[in-house]
Amino acid sequence: MQPYVDDSLPNTKLESIVAETINFNFPLVKINESIYSLELFHGPTLAFKDVGARFMSRCLGYFNRNNNQKVTVLVATSGDTGGAVANGFLGVEGVDVIILYPSGKVSPVQELQLTTLGQNITALEIQGNFDDCQAIVKQAFMDGDINAKLSLTSANSINVARWLPQQLYYFYAYQQWQQNEAPVVCVPSGNFGNICAGMMAFASGLPVKHFIAACNANDVVTNYLQTEQYAPKQAIATVSNAMDVGNPSNFIRIQQIFNNEFSSLKNKLSSISVSDDTTKKTITKVYKDYNYTLDPHGAVAYYALEQYHQQGYILETAHPVKFPDVVEEAIGKKIEVPNEVKHLFEKEKQSILLSSNYNDFKEWLMNK
Ligand SMILES: *Cc1c(COP(=O)(O)O)cnc(C)c1O
């Protein structure tokens, strides 16, 4: 990480931030002879976003250490981002976090992760969908009254501090990779921050035979690699909802790693778009054949890697318990709740219910 940080952080500080960021396991688990799973869900909120959120929160806390004014992090979430950000920032001094999530549209584990932390974390339960939450956040960033009163910042993956540390687990995977040939790496992709981190790791020397960007019905990059036409679309809702992105903001960074040369990018990166129906069938099949439970995002990646017919691994980006409706129907039984989140069910949800009207949000924030 040091070359990316240069002297903006002292080395000892960087070391302690990295140590705190990755103090959980990243096991590479064998599913069958050709496909392994890099499990990124052993962090506090059971999603790979823990890595980026923990790194970013600690950096922000450090950079803000001498400021008198508090920083307010505003995030809209469809589930995973909010939980990871909230958990990463819990107790970080000088930072308040406000999370907007769509009422009734996140799973029980996700909602508890958002609403039971307390301290500097406030959860706003918006009576609307994810787009309503995001629209409120976007408008707040442009609102003169709010910006005169508060110092706002965002925590999405446009911010390089979110995805730079994600390079580290690709190196951990290689440490565990026991084959002679370098692996094909298949990444379930939405905003393309995760796969961008993998390609940065490759650019700095990590052996990777080929990358596959596994997408759901949101197929902008899949189409681009076939046609060389980049045509953003409205996002389509799918069962792998953390990847419902119609215009992935990190793809341009990947193009720059390859000097904007289409043919060299295409040599290293393939992309497949996988339907919801295939995603669910893949969860069923992998459970039956190999007794391994995929979450919907991992299932998209599994199917994509299987089509490629070479040895490699998928990134399993979230624990299946975060998507119980889809997974339990596909495997025909209840998912066991992992010990890491059992305690959540003893806590009480604390959220503030607001309409999706911007003025209600503004009034609440200005009087906070
Ligand atoms: C955010 C997320 C993704 C997509 O990651 P990007 O970096 O946006 O491509 C995939 N799976 C899960 C579970 C996620 O939460």
Side-chain angles (χ1 to χ4, degrees):
M1 296 301 293
Q2 212 284 327
Y4 298 99
V5 169
D6 206 3
D7 54 8
S8 55
L9 285 173
N11 271 344
T12 50
K13 188 69 206 171
L14 178 63
E15 271 170 31
S16 69
I17 289 177
V18 169
E20 286 174 34
T21 298
I22 50 173
N23 67 351
F24 43 88
N25 291 332
F26 301 90
L28 187 69
V29 174
K30 183 174 181 174
I31 300 180
N32 56 44
E33 280 312 314
S34 32
I35 301 185
Y36 289 69
S37 169
L38 179 64
E39 294 185 347
L40 302 178
F41 55 72
H42 297 281
T45 76
L46 313 182
F48 80 95
K49 290 192 171 77
D50 281 325
V51 173
R54 286 158 79 81
F55 185 81
M56 180 190 163
S57 61
R58 282 155 180 79
C59 289
L60 194 60
Y62 176 79
F63 293 134
N64 201 42
R65 68 196 182 286
N66 298 324
N67 264 353
N68 295 329
Q69 201 189 8
K70 277 197 171 183
V71 171
T72 301
V73 176
L74 264 192
V75 233
T77 186
S78 58
D80 273 352
T81 305
V85 168
N87 199 287
F89 278 96
L90 181 66
V92 173
E93 255 174 65
V95 183
D96 279 334
V97 177
I98 298 169
I99 302 161
L100 290 79
Y101 74 96
S103 181
K105 295 199 171 60
V106 301
S107 70
V109 168
Q110 287 177 326
E111 182 165 45
L112 288 168
Q113 286 175 334
L114 295 169
T115 57
T116 58
L117 291 167
Q119 295 185 50
N120 56 333
I121 314 294
T122 307
L124 300 182
E125 183 174 354
I126 303 295
Q127 291 167 309
N129 58 26
F130 170 65
D131 290 333
D132 295 322
C133 298
Q134 193 154 41
I136 292 173
V137 168
K138 282 189 177 157
Q139 198 170 343
F141 278 110
M142 296 184 299
D143 187 315
D145 300 335
I146 292 179
N147 285 288
K149 189 173 170 207
L150 299 171
S151 164
L152 292 184
T153 187
S154 144
N156 66 32
S157 66
I158 282 282
N159 190 323
V160 296
R162 272 276 309 275
W163 61 262
L164 281 175
Q166 292 172 197
Q167 294 178 91
L168 301 171
Y169 48 66
Y170 289 90
F171 286 93
Y172 277 143
Y174 193 64
Q175 246 176 15
Q176 300 170 73
W177 184 251
Q178 310 221 323
Q179 319 297 325
N180 292 329
E181 251 189 290
V184 173
V185 177
C186 183
V187 186
S189 296
N191 223 359
F192 280 68
N194 205 5
I195 193 166
C196 182
M199 294 184 120
M200 288 288 278
F202 163 72
S204 47
L206 180 76
V208 174
K209 190 169 184 198
H210 195 70
F211 284 97
I212 301 171
C215 297
N216 55 29
N218 295 283
D219 56 2
V220 180
V221 171
T222 314
N223 290 341
Y224 171 73
L225 289 172
Q226 273 159 17
T227 63
E228 211 176 333
Q229 303 293 319
Y230 187 84
K233 300 181 192 170
Q234 282 285 325
I236 301 164
T238 74
V239 294
S240 48
N241 61 15
M243 315 196 305
D244 294 349
V245 180
N247 187 9
S249 53
N250 291 301
F251 188 63
I252 187 169
R253 290 176 162 149
I254 293 177
Q255 291 176 299
Q256 288 185 10
I257 296 172
F258 290 84
N259 298 319
N260 295 312
E261 287 164 18
F262 182 73
S263 58
S264 40
L265 173 62
K266 213 180 143 147
N267 260 336
K268 204 70 202 174
L269 174 69
S270 302
S271 177
I272 300 179
S273 159
V274 180
S275 72
D276 276 359
D277 188 47
T278 303
T279 304
K280 292 180 200 167
K281 284 184 177 144
T282 302
I283 298 174
T284 307
K285 176 177 164 280
V286 171
Y287 181 70
K288 274 201 187 135
D289 293 354
Y290 309 111
N291 197 24
Y292 189 84
T293 309
L294 292 163
D295 94 295
H297 306 79
V300 168
Y302 183 95
Y303 183 80
L305 182 54
E306 199 177 40
Q307 302 313 298
Y308 202 72
H309 298 296
Q310 292 200 31
Q311 244 183 358
Y313 65 84
I314 61 165
L315 271 60
E316 197 17 309
T317 45
H319 193 286
V321 78
K322 301 185 92 176
F323 306 93
D325 294 350
V326 179
V327 177
E328 289 177 355
E329 197 188 312
I331 67 173
K333 63 176 237 188
K334 284 254 165 232
I335 308 167
E336 225 175 286
V337 176
N339 286 331
E340 292 99 310
V341 290
K342 275 197 181 129
H343 68 281
L344 286 173
F345 291 92
E346 285 144 32
K347 294 193 179 165
E348 207 175 319
K349 163 182 162 182
Q350 283 185 317
S351 67
I352 295 164
L353 195 64
L354 288 178
S355 80
S356 60
N357 185 313
Y358 178 72
N359 289 326
D360 287 350
F361 166 80
K362 180 168 176 178
E363 193 185 315
W364 173 82
L365 187 62
M366 296 299 283
N367 294 315
K368 194 168 116 55

